[in-house]
């Protein structure tokens, strides 16, 4: 058996990235207050079922809608970019460009490419434009909302370089 004179150095995995594109805190009280106001309008002092049914139906429906709007998760792990249930292997990433609100507006504005894959949340200011290098895919780039676009772009490029 032959032994190596140099100690084995473990290969460091690229840092992962994960973020949930949840709603801002103020959207929850505003949405629930709006649902409560609508339930009160439907109630209007009635008795019986009309006294409680609007509140029982509308408040949980509003909470479920608010949760659903903020469910999107953006993750870089295992050599892939995950945006909700869409996956992109990082080997197809040519570049990742962090965008501020003005840059996102420009990329998604009038001259936007209709073949681009876009996951945009209006309550999240930043985004990352992921330029693709896949000759078999007509999608030129992805635009993904992110509260930390610089970190997401760095994690994508680090994962690509590690692959």
């Amino acid at each position: 058996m032959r032994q190596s004179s140099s100690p084995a150095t473990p290969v460091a995995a690229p840092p992962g990235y994960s973020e949930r594109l949840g709603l801002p805190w103020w959207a929850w009280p505003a949405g629930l207050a709006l649902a409560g106001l609508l339930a009160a309008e439907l109630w209007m002092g009635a008795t019986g079922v009309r006294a409680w049914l609007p509140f029982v139906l509308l408040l949980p429906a509003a909470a479920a809608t608010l949760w659903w709007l903020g469910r999107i998760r953006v993750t870089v792990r295992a050599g892939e970019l995950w945006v909700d249930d869409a996956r992109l292997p990082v080997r197809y990433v040519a570049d990742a460009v962090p965008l501020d609100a003005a840059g996102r507006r420009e990329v998604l504005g009038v001259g936007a490419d209709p073949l681009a894959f876009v996951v945009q949340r209006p309550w999240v200011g930043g985004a990352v434009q992921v330029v693709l290098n896949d000759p078999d895919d007509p999608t030129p780039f992805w635009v993904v909302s992110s509260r930390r676009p610089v970190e997401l772009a760095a994690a994508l490029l680090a994962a690509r370089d590690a692959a």
Side-chain angles (χ1 to χ4, degrees):
M1 183 158 112
R2 189 175 157 210
Q3 292 185 355
S4 173
S5 61
S6 65
T9 57
V11 177
Y17 178 88
S18 183
E19 118 177 79
R20 194 171 138 262
L21 301 178
L23 290 167
W25 69 269
W26 54 264
W28 284 87
L32 293 174
L34 188 62
L37 181 64
L38 181 59
E41 284 292 322
L42 293 173
W43 165 51
M44 295 292 287
T47 59
V49 173
R50 269 193 54 205
W52 56 268
L53 190 61
F55 295 96
V56 169
L57 294 177
L58 291 176
L59 290 175
T65 301
L66 291 167
W67 172 84
W68 182 80
L69 286 171
R71 79 190 187 291
I72 300 294
R73 184 167 290 282
V74 178
T75 307
V76 177
R77 70 168 190 256
E80 291 183 323
L81 168 64
W82 292 58
V83 180
D84 197 19
D85 59 351
R87 296 188 298 179
L88 174 68
V90 293
R91 68 179 174 266
Y92 297 122
V93 173
D95 196 11
V97 181
L99 303 170
D100 59 0
R104 185 186 70 194
R105 229 181 350 265
E106 185 177 329
V107 168
L108 298 177
V110 176
D113 192 323
L115 296 177
F117 177 80
V118 178
V119 175
Q120 193 257 136
R121 294 293 178 254
W123 55 86
V124 178
V128 173
Q129 181 182 20
V130 182
V131 181
L132 303 182
N133 183 19
D134 184 5
D136 297 330
D137 189 358
T139 306
F141 57 86
W142 285 24
V143 177
V144 179
S145 288
S146 175
R147 287 190 173 88
R148 303 183 322 257
V150 174
E151 291 177 34
L152 175 56
L156 269 169
L157 295 176
R160 179 200 63 190
D161 294 342

